[in-house]
Structure formats: structure tokens, C-alpha cells
Amino acid sequence: MSQQKPSLPKGTRDFGPDQMIRRNYILETIKAVYRKFGFQPIETPGMENLSVLTGKYGDEGDQLLFKILNSGDFLSKSAVQDFEGGTKSLLPKIAEKGLRYDLTVPFARFVVMNQHTITFPFKRYQIQPVWRADRPQKGRYREFYQCDADVVGTNSLICEAEIIWMIMEVFQQLSLSGYTIKMNNRKILSGIAEVLDVTGRETDLFVAIDKLDKIGLENVMNELAEKGFSTESREQLKQILTLGGSNAEQVAALKNLLSNSELGSQGISEVEEILNLVAASGMSSEKIEQILEVDITLARGLSYYTGAIFEVKAHQVKIGSITGGGRYDNLTGMFGLPDVSGVGISFGVDRIYDVLEELNLFPTEQLNTTQLLIVNFDTALLPQALKILSRFRAAGLASEMYPEPVKMKKQFNYADKNNIPFVVIVGPEEVETQKYGLKNMRTGDQVRLSVEEIIQQLQ
Amino acid sequence: MSQQKPSLPKGTRDFGPDQMIRRNYILETIKAVYRKFGFQPIETPGMENLSVLTGKYGDEGDQLLFKILNSGDFLSKSAVQDFEGGTKSLLPKIAEKGLRYDLTVPFARFVVMNQHTITFPFKRYQIQPVWRADRPQKGRYREFYQCDADVVGTNSLICEAEIIWMIMEVFQQLSLSGYTIKMNNRKILSGIAEVLDVTGRETDLFVAIDKLDKIGLENVMNELAEKGFSTESREQLKQILTLGGSNAEQVAALKNLLSNSELGSQGISEVEEILNLVAASGMSSEKIEQILEVDITLARGLSYYTGAIFEVKAHQVKIGSITGGGRYDNLTGMFGLPDVSGVGISFGVDRIYDVLEELNLFPTEQLNTTQLLIVNFDTALLPQALKILSRFRAAGLASEMYPEPVKMKKQFNYADKNNIPFVVIVGPEEVETQKYGLKNMRTGDQVRLSVEEIIQQLQ
């Protein structure tokens, strides 16, 4: 066997117990909210056929797919000598599968392959890792979890309202209050292009608008001037981008400004209806106004959104969006099943983790896994200690016994390092009196209690 | 975009909601037991460096590793033309990473890389998929979950007893009673080889013994005769293999038969101590005798076990072992860290699924995800319905609203197909009286109740 120093592939990570418990706290919270809203779990394999993945993420995405070598001796000298024509003809011979790049395309494939057994509308959630051959850098990994929920098979804007409620519930449960849900609509963006009379140059327009937050209004205008946008269209845009006020005020002003664009007007109506539906749940308009913000500069990867667009920004932490999503009219069209509209949301687990960490929002109490450790006193008392251990476990307490009768100090250190909050001592005197030492590892307090009393206290 | 009919790679599977809910039931049960016994979660990446994986699973295992193509233009014509020497020299140029083949080697890597921060003994559990380029066949997949727990850094046999308790608790919680935990010890097997005087030919011996169940005693004897084992050694073996009786009787007889082998005697002492520890928890000896069986024919992949060996067989279903594990003295030696002993267990999720399915042991009640559906009556009543929906959810009920005001029949059908047990009707009369129709989808019963009453009934 080789004895090299082991290492991890670039851009990948191990998660030790401390991180896992915090990550699970986030993932379980999101999962519970998804379930409470009627979403059902699915999972798809990590490996997909390259024919499913290729061409779905643009040229850049294709470059970032991890491809899996076929098994067999296709790499033998003779097989390679047969090769004549460069990458294009060698690749299919040696790789037919790739690693999942996101959860959306596999979900579309799932829907198409199961279209005759699925009851639509279909609400699914999916929490699995994805892989991208990106250049690794701080906060960008080659393997990371996505955490998606989508409804497909309905155009109802109730689904958009549900997404907003789910976002609010997740962050409320995670005790994160300083955040904004930004909402826009792809049709509003198209409407703006129409009224500026720049149809066909949407990409340049949206890319520039999307930078407003970062580079400011003047630089956006300069960029558009360089790209050849007329003075008139730039002035009109300036008017639109400097609209302020409440969501209702923005909606009213946009109705007016985009009245000549049918698509734009439709986008505004949708925004208005979503705002009304959100309010219908009984939430106060102050709370809605405080959390939800119509932001017409939000563009968010223009590739497949066709209606609502969502993005969540944390206030106190410098980090990209922590959640995003939107409506797409034709998810499954890529696999030959047209007219399946859907809307989805994806929580960014790694970034939410960083935000909670930086704001110190992880609840210390809930993050213990094991509640108590029984000290291994000596071999003679082992049977008594094991009997008590089994009573603790029967009562549902996560508990363990130190496996060896080593020095107490070492055993207490083990409890300390593993964040085990209580230690129980089963020594000769304790066994005789049936009152066992219970030590609180945080306060250092120690009391003598019966097994029942310990169970009552810790349950 | 391509419009091909999408497909799944051979040997991989999608899990739809029904399967996911059943799989999660199994996985959550196992996870909860692992946690109750003080095990902590870790996760490692799906991709590992090939230098970590290669040479750890034997030649056959190396063949079954899925390798991942490096990114870059190494497949360009010129790069391939540079290649001169066949597979051996091309492979590292094109693939440096592979997919995880099991959870044990990545765990060993994790322990070695984190040896200075881990507090030993280290109890970890890990539930993640693994990939093997096996020929797919019924019940054998190229991507499947493993579900492992291991303790490393102690020789204490308490850990072996804990594994037995965990197995018992998992299957009790899954309501599976017809199973046997078979236990053996690698040192007993070595002791048998010693007393038969066939040291150096252990593999032939153990492979033959391991088949006893399937081919019967005479065929095992014939196989050993063919392999050149002497009449005397075969007669001695026959005597050992035909030992019957209780665990205690077997232990007593083996003590005698293997008294000339130090290693064999040590193996028997270990078995005896494990049996004593298991009994110390207060479990009745009848129950132990019924579930736990010392079986000296159990060999179970001889590669790395050095002490106890475990295997669980279900009684009423024809299927391989549903759980297995054992002790290995030198897990991390492959990465240059010697003397880290460990013992572990792995539950076979796919097989346990099949057993529960075949014996009809999945609890129907617990497998609902969504508890109630509010019928979408019409757009006018939508605000009232949404307000009620938010009250159900605030009370913790997993609930949803049908997104479109389509025919009632279609909405009831949706509830039926999604196993939603209750439907709530919010029509004009209901809104006026504030008593809403609650229909039990199983019995067909319908009653009129207030929101509070519905919540009380379903919570």
C-alpha cells in the first residue's frame, strides 16, 4: 500500500462534526419549511448522461462539467492510436457521463421521464451536492450543496407568494432578521427594453442595469453610451431607474411609464398581484414593505427566467445573494416536453452558513449532539454503568460511556472537546447509594441524583 | 438545444417522493440511533484524489473506480499525439480524481488529515452515496448510499457491544423482528488455521468455510480435499464446524478445541467478553440468545478485519446480509498513521428497504408528508383561504392550497394521488359561518369545523 500524505481535491471540503451540526441545522430548517408548504422530496443520481447535461448551461457551463471516464480499456495504446480527429471525436469514446452541474436540469429530466405518473402541479424539493470545474477561490467550491424547491405545471401566482412566505419563514426560524427579498419580473425588463426602443439589445441593457448597485447610476449610463444607446433612451431609463418610494408607489409609476408595452404592463400586473396575495395571508403591510422590495434592476442570470425573479440579500454581511429563484415558462422544453411552466427557489447553504456564523446566530444550545457521558470508573463497575447507560438511552437521551477506564481528567476533557454538557459518575459509593454524580460541564456544578432524577432533569 | 429523449446512466436511479419518504424513514431511524449512541456526523466530498483511492480495494476494486477527466485541453490533438506509452502514462494526464468507492477509505483519510484536532476515541457516522463501475444487475447499483458508523482510537470491546445494541435498536424501531446478528472473530478463524496446521493457506480455508451455509458440509470438505488439505485437518475442521448449542456452549467447546492457539484463544475470550457486556445492559439472556449467534463460519471479506466480525441476516426474505461490520486494527496505516484501531458497522439501506417492502413493514401513517389540502374554490375567496392556510401552517400543520380554481374533482384527485389525508373546503357558506368542510380522504367522512377545531383534530 502506498503511504503518501493524503490530500483533498482542489475546491472540495470535508465537513467535521462541528460544521455538520451547523449545516444540518440550516438544512433541516429549510427542509421542514419545504415540507410544511407541501413540497415532496426527490433525489436524482450524481452521475448523468452527458447528453442530458451538455448544451443546457451555455458554452461556459459545458466547459465546467466534470466528465467521467468510461470503464474499459479505451485508453489502451491501440485505442488511442485509432483516434484521429481531436477532442470532438475522442470525447464520446472515453466519457459518456458527467457529474450533476445543478439540480434544475436533472429535475427537468425527471419530470419528462416520469410525466405519465406525476400528478401535476408537482411540488418537489431536492437537497444534493452539485459539481462544477470552476477555478476554486474563497467561497467558491467545486462541490457544493444546492437546496431547491420548485412547483411545475401551473401558472398560478399563488406559487410566487408561497416562495416569498417560505423565504420569510426560513429566515425567521434561523433568527436572521436583517435581509431583503428583492423581486422583479422578466416581463418588466422586456417592457423597459420595448419602451426604450432597444429591442434586440436586451442583454447589453440588462447587464448594465444589473450593475447599478455596484457601480452607480452615472457609470451605468456611461456604459450604455459606449454601447451605442441613444441619449433619449438613456434619459428615459434614468427616469425609470430613479423611481423611489414604496412598492405600491413604484408599481403605480411603472404602470404609467410602461403603459405602451403590453409585456411590461403584464409584468407589473403580476408584481401587483403577487404583492396582494402575500398581503392576503394576514401579514401586516409594514412587515411586507420592510422585507419585500420591488427592484427593477434585478436581472439574475437572464438565461431561463420568464416571469418573477427573486433574490435575497443579507444586510449586515458583505456577501452575494443568499437565496434566489424565479419563474421559467419552459423548463422541460429542452427534453421535448413543451409548456410546463414552473417557479422555483434555491437557498445558498454555504453563504447562509457564513452569514449566521458572522452574525453569531447559531444557537449554541441546540447544537449539542450527545447530552451526557458516563465516566468509565473501572472494569468492576462496568456492568452497573452499562445498565444505567441503557436506561438513559431508553429514555431517549443521547448518551455514551467512555470506552476505557483511563484517568478522569482525560474523560472530562473528552466531554469538553465534544461539547457534551453533562457527565455522570458511577463510582463504588454512587452504586451503593444509587445516587450518581451529575456534573454540569459548563458551570462546573455537581449534584448527586438518582437515575430517574437525572432523566427528569435532562429530558 | 437538443431534444433527445432523456435517459439515466446504467445502474443509477431516481428516487421519487414515495421512495424518498420510505428511504428517509429508514435513514432517519438509523441516524437517530447513531446520535443516541454518541456518534457525530461527518461528510467527505464525492470526488477524491485517485492517489487516495487507488490500491485500497485490491486490483478488482481499482478496476471499479469511476475516474473523472481533468478539465483543460488535454484531449486536444497535439496532447494526445504526445502520448506514447499506453494506459499507464496517459491516465494521470487525463484523470487525477475519482468518485468515492466507499466511506471507509475517505474516513481514514479524514482521520489522518485531522489527527491533531480530533479528540480520540472518535465516534463518527456518515451517510452518503458511493459509486462503483460494477456490472449493473438486480439489486446492484453503480450509485448507492452507504450508512456507516465507526469508533476509532480504542481497543475497548464496549464498542463491539454498542454495535450490537445499535443493530437491535435500529431493527426494533423499524419493527423488523425476524433477523439474526451473526458474530465471529478473525482471531478465531486464524486460530482454526493454526490448530489445523494450515497456516499460510488461510484464504483457501476461509473461502471454503464461508460457503458452508450455501453448499453444505460435504461439499466444503470436498473443496478442501481438492485444494490439498490433509484428511486429518479436514476431520479436525469437521469437528469444529459441527459444534452446535447455545453461544455459551459453543464458546466453551471452542476454548477447548483451540487451546493450543494463542490467537484463537484470544478470539474466543473476546467473543465471551462481548457476550458478557451485551448482557450487562440488562437484556434478558433469552433475547440475546434469540438474536445474537456466534457463527464461526462467518468470514466476510477477509481484507481488513482483525477482530470481531458482524453480519445481519433477515429470516423471511431471500436477500444477502442487510448489515455488516467488524474491527480493523490498522485503518489509517494506509496513509502513514499506524496503530489506530477501529470498529464499524454499515447498514445496507437498499436491502433493508426491500425487506421492509416485502414484509409490508413500512408504517402507512407516518409516511404522509402533507397533512391537508385547501381546495381552491374561486378567486374571490382566495384571500380568506390564504389566511386560513397561514393559520394552519403557523400551527405547524404541513398544508397547501391547490394553486388554481379548477374542478373540485381534479383537486380531490390531487390530494388522493399525493396521499394527503385531509381536504378543507373554504366556500362562500363556509366563510360566512366560519365552519369549514373537513373531508377525511380515507373514510370519505366530512364534517364542518372551525379553524381551531381543525387544528386541534389534526395536530
Side-chain angles (χ1 to χ4, degrees), chain A residues 86-364:
Chain A
T87 310
K88 263 208 163 145
S89 52
L90 183 56
L91 185 59
K93 280 190 193 157
I94 70 164
E96 285 163 346
K97 292 181 290 292
L99 290 175
R100 182 171 55 211
Y101 178 90
D102 71 359
L103 303 179
T104 308
V105 168
F107 175 51
R109 176 194 54 66
F110 178 92
V111 169
V112 173
M113 287 178 69
N114 296 283
Q115 56 183 291
H116 302 299
T117 52
I118 288 174
T119 312
F120 293 98
F122 181 48
K123 301 169 83 171
R124 86 85 173 78
Y125 74 85
Q126 188 171 357
I127 300 178
Q128 292 191 278
V130 301
W131 290 266
R132 296 184 183 177
D134 244 323
R135 213 158 53 90
Q137 46 180 278
K138 195 182 170 301
R140 186 189 290 168
Y141 303 100
R142 292 185 145 188
E143 175 171 345
F144 58 98
Y145 269 74
Q146 287 193 337
C147 191
D148 288 15
D150 293 79
V151 194
V152 293
T154 173
N155 292 309
S156 167
L157 296 174
I158 295 176
C159 305
E160 273 83 345
E162 297 245 85
I163 281 178
I164 293 168
W165 289 324
M166 289 203 292
I167 294 171
M168 290 179 172
E169 180 140 0
V170 164
F171 290 119
Q172 188 191 325
Q173 285 189 23
L174 295 176
S175 306
L176 179 71
S177 51
Y179 72 93
T180 300
I181 305 173
K182 296 187 172 207
M183 174 168 71
N184 195 11
N185 194 297
R186 183 61 163 79
K187 292 169 189 164
I188 293 181
L189 288 170
S190 300
I192 292 174
E194 276 182 31
V195 300
L196 300 188
D197 202 14
V198 296
T199 318
R201 292 146 77 196
E202 283 93 347
T203 308
D204 283 345
L205 176 64
F206 301 157
V207 165
I209 290 181
D210 201 32
K211 294 183 193 160
L212 183 64
D213 248 11
K214 286 189 206 123
I215 64 174
L217 187 64
E218 280 321 299
N219 288 317
V220 169
M221 290 301 141
N222 292 340
E223 185 173 319
L224 288 173
E226 275 165 35
K227 296 269 181 188
F229 283 70
S230 70
T231 314
E232 198 196 332
S233 64
R234 281 181 282 137
E235 279 309 312
Q236 246 180 309
L237 178 64
K238 209 169 187 171
Q239 205 188 341
I240 296 172
L241 292 185
T242 50
L243 285 177
S246 68
N247 291 328
E249 284 162 356
Q250 277 201 68
V251 165
L254 283 168
K255 259 190 194 168
N256 194 25
L257 286 163
L258 301 185
S259 58
N260 289 329
S261 160
E262 200 185 322
L263 204 55
S265 300
Q266 203 186 320
I268 298 162
S269 299
E270 289 184 8
V271 166
E272 198 173 19
E273 190 178 336
I274 295 166
L275 290 171
N276 288 337
L277 288 168
V278 171
S281 70
M283 205 174 283
S284 76
S285 54
E286 288 76 27
K287 185 170 175 193
I288 296 171
E289 199 66 37
Q290 187 198 327
I291 295 180
L292 183 61
E293 181 191 307
V294 175
D295 179 355
I296 55 169
T297 70
L298 183 66
R300 218 190 134 67
L302 301 155
S303 42
Y304 55 73
Y305 293 124
T306 53
I309 309 170
F310 299 106
E311 203 166 274
V312 180
K313 299 280 274 182
H315 292 169
Q316 294 133 293
V317 181
K318 271 201 178 152
I319 203 163
S321 69
I322 56 178
T323 297
R327 179 172 286 276
Y328 36 81
D329 268 349
N330 195 10
L331 176 68
T332 56
M334 57 176 107
F335 298 119
L337 179 68
D339 302 326
V340 177
S341 178
V343 56
I345 190 77
S346 186
F347 285 90
V349 187
D350 289 305
R351 286 183 178 170
I352 294 173
Y353 187 103
D354 290 345
V355 168
L356 298 189
E357 185 94 313
E358 194 167 325
L359 300 179
N360 212 7
L361 292 176
F362 282 111
T364 44

Side-chain angles (χ1 to χ4, degrees), chain A residues 47-62:
Chain A
M47 296 196 297
E48 291 276 356
N49 287 323
L50 280 176
S51 57
V52 164
L53 300 175
T54 311
K56 308 304 189 299
Y57 307 104
D59 289 346
E60 203 198 339
D62 282 354

Side-chain angles (χ1 to χ4, degrees), chain B residues 79-372:
Chain B
V80 172
Q81 277 164 351
D82 281 351
F83 156 71
E84 295 288 318
T87 310
K88 267 212 161 138
S89 52
L90 182 57
L91 186 58
K93 279 189 193 157
I94 70 164
E96 284 163 345
K97 293 181 289 291
L99 290 175
R100 180 171 56 210
Y101 179 89
D102 72 358
L103 302 179
T104 308
V105 167
F107 175 51
R109 177 194 53 68
F110 178 92
V111 169
V112 172
M113 285 178 70
N114 297 282
Q115 57 184 288
H116 301 300
T117 52
I118 288 173
T119 312
F120 292 97
F122 181 48
K123 301 170 83 170
R124 86 84 172 80
Y125 73 85
Q126 188 171 357
I127 300 178
Q128 293 190 274
V130 302
W131 290 266
R132 295 183 184 179
D134 243 323
R135 213 159 54 89
Q137 46 180 277
K138 197 184 169 299
R140 187 189 290 168
Y141 303 100
R142 291 185 146 188
E143 175 170 344
F144 58 97
Y145 270 75
Q146 288 194 336
C147 192
D148 289 15
D150 294 78
V151 193
V152 294
T154 172
N155 292 309
S156 166
L157 296 174
I158 294 176
C159 305
E160 274 82 344
E162 297 243 87
I163 281 178
I164 292 167
W165 290 323
M166 288 203 292
I167 293 171
M168 290 178 172
E169 179 141 359
V170 164
F171 290 119
Q172 188 191 324
Q173 286 190 22
L174 295 176
S175 306
L176 178 73
S177 51
Y179 71 93
T180 300
I181 304 173
K182 298 187 171 209
M183 176 170 67
N184 195 9
N185 194 298
R186 183 61 163 77
K187 292 169 189 165
I188 293 181
L189 288 169
S190 299
I192 292 174
E194 275 182 32
V195 300
L196 300 188
D197 202 14
V198 296
T199 317
R201 291 146 77 195
E202 281 95 347
T203 307
D204 282 344
L205 175 65
F206 301 158
V207 165
I209 290 180
D210 202 30
K211 295 184 193 161
L212 183 65
D213 249 10
K214 284 187 206 126
I215 64 175
L217 188 63
E218 280 322 299
N219 288 317
V220 170
M221 291 301 142
N222 292 340
E223 184 172 322
L224 288 172
E226 274 166 35
K227 296 268 180 187
F229 283 70
S230 69
T231 314
E232 197 195 335
S233 65
R234 281 181 282 138
E235 280 309 312
Q236 247 180 307
L237 180 63
K238 209 172 187 170
Q239 204 188 340
I240 296 172
L241 293 184
T242 51
L243 285 175
S246 68
N247 290 327
E249 284 161 357
Q250 277 201 69
V251 165
L254 282 168
K255 257 190 197 169
N256 193 24
L257 285 163
L258 300 184
S259 58
N260 288 331
S261 159
E262 201 186 320
L263 205 55
S265 300
Q266 203 185 319
I268 298 162
S269 299
E270 289 183 8
V271 166
E272 198 173 18
E273 190 177 336
I274 295 167
L275 290 171
N276 287 339
L277 288 169
V278 170
S281 70
M283 205 174 284
S284 77
S285 54
E286 289 76 27
K287 184 171 175 191
I288 296 171
E289 199 66 37
Q290 188 199 324
I291 296 179
L292 183 61
E293 181 192 307
V294 175
D295 178 355
I296 55 168
T297 70
L298 182 67
R300 216 190 135 67
L302 301 154
S303 42
Y304 55 73
Y305 293 124
T306 52
I309 308 172
F310 300 107
E311 202 166 275
V312 180
K313 299 280 274 181
H315 293 168
Q316 296 132 291
V317 182
K318 269 200 179 156
I319 204 163
S321 68
I322 55 177
T323 296
R327 179 173 286 276
Y328 37 81
D329 268 350
N330 194 11
L331 176 68
T332 56
M334 57 177 107
F335 298 119
L337 179 69
D339 302 326
V340 177
S341 178
V343 57
I345 191 75
S346 186
F347 286 90
V349 187
D350 290 304
R351 286 183 177 170
I352 293 173
Y353 186 104
D354 290 346
V355 168
L356 298 189
E357 185 95 312
E358 194 166 325
L359 300 179
N360 211 7
L361 292 177
F362 283 111
T364 44
E365 290 302 320
Q366 284 173 45
L367 300 179
N368 305 317
T369 44
T370 307
Q371 285 158 284
L372 59 84

